[in-house]
Amino acid sequence: MLTKTGALSLYTDLTNNAETRNQTTGLIYINQGIRLLLGSMEWPFLERSFVQDSVAGQQVYNIPVPVKKVVAVSVKIGTYTYTPRQVFSQDDWNFLNTPTDVTGDVTSYYFVKDNQVYLWPKPATSGNEITINALTQVRDISKDDYVTGTVSAVANGGTTITGSGTTWTAGMVGSYISITNTNAANVGDGFWYQITDVPSTTSLTISRPYAGTSIVAGAATYTIGDVMIIPQDYQLAPVYYAAAMYWRAQGDQGRSVDYMNTFEMTKAQMHGDEGLRTTSPSVDDGFNDMYPVNPNLLPKFTP
């Protein structure tokens, strides 16, 4: 995984310029490259689901932060899940709500405005599960790597990491930690885990169970980094974009074009690999207009 510190180090190598001013400009270019990649389509890996309960008579529900765009809304009532249609026009929504006292648990339509989701009809009862599927908002990478102290304990299959000589803070939530993998015993697995909580300066929680061998009374080195949200195989692309912009500003069109072409090639590969939910190019990403048929509704043959 490429952290902010690692991306800037590579950018410095590609531009042969370690000046502080160039580092500042380079980080701007790198973040712009990330946004260009992520803005080129609605990537499935950016989708998140947010769940909240309905309130009887309440039509408006806040969209959790950070959300860029609502993709779909569903409402679960008992064992049934209903998927209302989106209304895009304010005039159409106003017309739909001309009778203001319409209530019902089966939601038919929803409308998005000012970071809120409106449901029609208004829920008649409380406690029904409302799921908002949305594209997450992208945050710029900005924090330097943190490597102070060591990891003293983490259990295989556990989600708590204990540090020694560390000063971990709540600001690290959302960043990733990798415990260094070496040939020695009592070290990490080298994979990256997202941090979800920091209960103390020497304890943090990760989003999924630790897959490496347990560390007990260890002194393993580690890195906590601000990692790009882009899948790992394509994290060099924003650095190529930043290098292309640097050399363009320097008047070196040859190197600028070379790096920009590499950026575009990597983006094309990312579209091919990550643009669909399936890994097979022969499988259509959808239902092909085919829906499950309830066998109880089919004609019955009597011999």
Side-chain angles (χ1 to χ4, degrees):
M1 299 281 275
L2 198 57
T3 66
K4 175 255 186 179
T5 300
L8 270 183
S9 177
L10 179 58
Y11 170 79
T12 299
D13 291 341
L14 296 181
T15 59
N16 299 317
N17 186 341
E19 295 180 359
T20 301
R21 181 176 179 180
N22 184 47
Q23 297 263 326
T24 301
T25 304
L27 185 58
I28 294 172
Y29 285 150
I30 289 169
N31 280 310
Q32 179 63 21
I34 294 172
R35 293 182 181 279
L36 287 174
L37 276 177
L38 297 180
S40 60
M41 72 172 296
E42 294 183 356
W43 298 98
F45 62 79
L46 289 180
E47 292 184 15
R48 303 289 186 273
S49 293
F50 304 92
V51 179
Q52 53 188 297
D53 288 339
S54 65
V55 177
Q58 179 178 312
Q59 186 176 42
V60 184
Y61 296 84
N62 291 326
I63 301 174
V65 176
V67 160
K68 177 180 180 182
K69 178 182 179 182
V70 174
V71 176
V73 173
S74 64
V75 180
K76 185 178 181 181
I77 305 172
T79 59
Y80 293 93
T81 299
Y82 299 89
T83 54
R85 296 175 58 186
Q86 184 175 2
V87 176
F88 296 95
S89 165
Q90 180 71 64
D91 290 339
D92 290 342
W93 183 252
N94 291 342
F95 177 79
L96 187 64
N97 284 271
T98 299
T100 59
D101 58 347
V102 179
T103 61
D105 283 333
V106 180
T107 304
S108 299
Y109 299 96
Y110 74 93
F111 181 64
V112 180
K113 180 181 178 181
D114 297 332
N115 292 318
Q116 295 177 314
V117 169
Y118 295 68
L119 303 180
W120 189 95
K122 299 176 184 178
T125 59
S126 299
N128 293 326
E129 187 177 282
I130 302 170
T131 300
I132 300 173
N133 296 316
L135 299 178
T136 188
Q137 186 70 38
V138 178
R139 178 185 58 79
D140 287 348
I141 56 171
S142 60
K143 295 179 285 187
D144 293 333
D145 288 357
Y146 184 90
V147 296
T148 300
T150 59
V151 169
S152 59
V154 58
N156 173 262
T159 56
T160 298
I161 298 177
T162 302
S164 175
T166 59
T167 310
W168 294 336
T169 67
M172 294 173 177
V173 171
S175 295
Y176 285 73
I177 182 171
S178 174
I179 307 173
T180 308
N181 179 250
T182 68
N183 291 326
N186 222 22
V187 296
D189 63 357
F191 290 107
W192 291 87
Y193 299 83
Q194 189 170 30
I195 299 170
T196 57
D197 190 24
V198 182
S200 73
T201 58
T202 58
S203 177
L204 56 80
T205 306
I206 53 179
S207 61
R208 58 189 175 90
Y210 179 69
T213 303
S214 297
I215 298 174
V216 181
T221 59
Y222 72 95
T223 300
I224 291 178
D226 201 2
V227 175
M228 300 180 189
I229 198 171
I230 297 169
Q232 184 173 354
D233 290 347
Y234 317 99
Q235 290 178 353
L236 289 177
V239 184
Y240 294 141
Y241 173 83
M245 298 302 292
Y246 172 85
W247 289 113
R248 178 184 296 179
Q250 300 301 312
D252 191 331
Q253 294 303 309
R255 276 197 269 197
S256 177
V257 169
D258 285 345
Y259 283 122
M260 188 60 73
N261 286 342
T262 306
F263 168 76
E264 293 293 343
M265 289 173 59
T266 307
K267 181 173 75 171
Q269 184 65 45
M270 183 172 159
H271 272 261
D273 293 343
E274 302 289 340
L276 299 177
R277 298 179 187 280
T278 174
T279 57
S280 171
S282 62
V283 177
D284 183 27
D285 184 31
F287 286 101
N288 293 319
D289 297 323
M290 298 293 292
Y291 293 89
V293 177
N294 186 340
N296 296 316
L297 300 180
L298 296 176
K300 291 182 172 56
F301 174 73
T302 302

